């Protein structure tokens, strides 16, 4: 088997990136949702922890965006 046959295609690489970052966002959303009741409300006693969790998720999301941009840039041809 040659290297060309084992190297993932650009489409496969992009799909892997989408899967990776979607899973990370889904995890963050799942944690945030764990604070909410059926109507989407958060108990007053849980608000401080909820606020920290939402803030942390926002920071993680921004870090993921930077990482994703780096990974996408690495997939571009050198001439771009």
């Amino acid at each position: 088997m040659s290297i060309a046959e084992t190297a993932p295609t650009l489409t496969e690489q992009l799909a892997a990136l989408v899967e990776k970052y979607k899973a990370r966002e889904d995890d963050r959303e799942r944690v945030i949702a764990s604070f909410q009741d059926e109507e989407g409300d958060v108990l007053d006693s849980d608000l401080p922890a909820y606020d920290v969790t939402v803030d942390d998720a926002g920071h993680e999301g921004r870090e993921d965006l930077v990482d994703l941009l780096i990974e996408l840039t690495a997939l571009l041809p050198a001439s771009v």
Side-chain angles (χ1 to χ4, degrees):
M1 192 180 290
S2 73
I3 293 174
E5 292 174 19
T6 61
T9 66
L10 179 58
T11 299
E12 291 169 334
Q13 291 173 332
L14 292 172
L17 288 175
V18 169
E19 183 179 331
K20 174 183 174 180
Y21 288 102
K22 183 173 181 341
R24 291 178 57 84
E25 183 62 21
D26 290 347
D27 287 344
R28 286 190 287 271
E29 290 297 323
R30 199 171 9 266
V31 171
I32 291 169
S34 71
F35 285 93
Q36 300 168 333
D37 63 16
E38 296 80 28
E39 287 95 36
D41 297 324
V42 178
L43 293 174
D44 288 342
S45 60
D46 290 338
L47 279 175
Y50 174 80
D51 288 343
V52 168
T53 300
V54 169
D55 189 52
D56 288 348
H59 290 292
E60 290 169 5
R62 285 187 292 281
E63 290 170 3
D64 277 354
L65 177 57
V66 170
D67 292 343
L68 175 60
L69 289 172
I70 290 168
E71 292 184 73
L72 289 172
T73 301
L75 294 176
L76 291 172
S79 62
V80 175

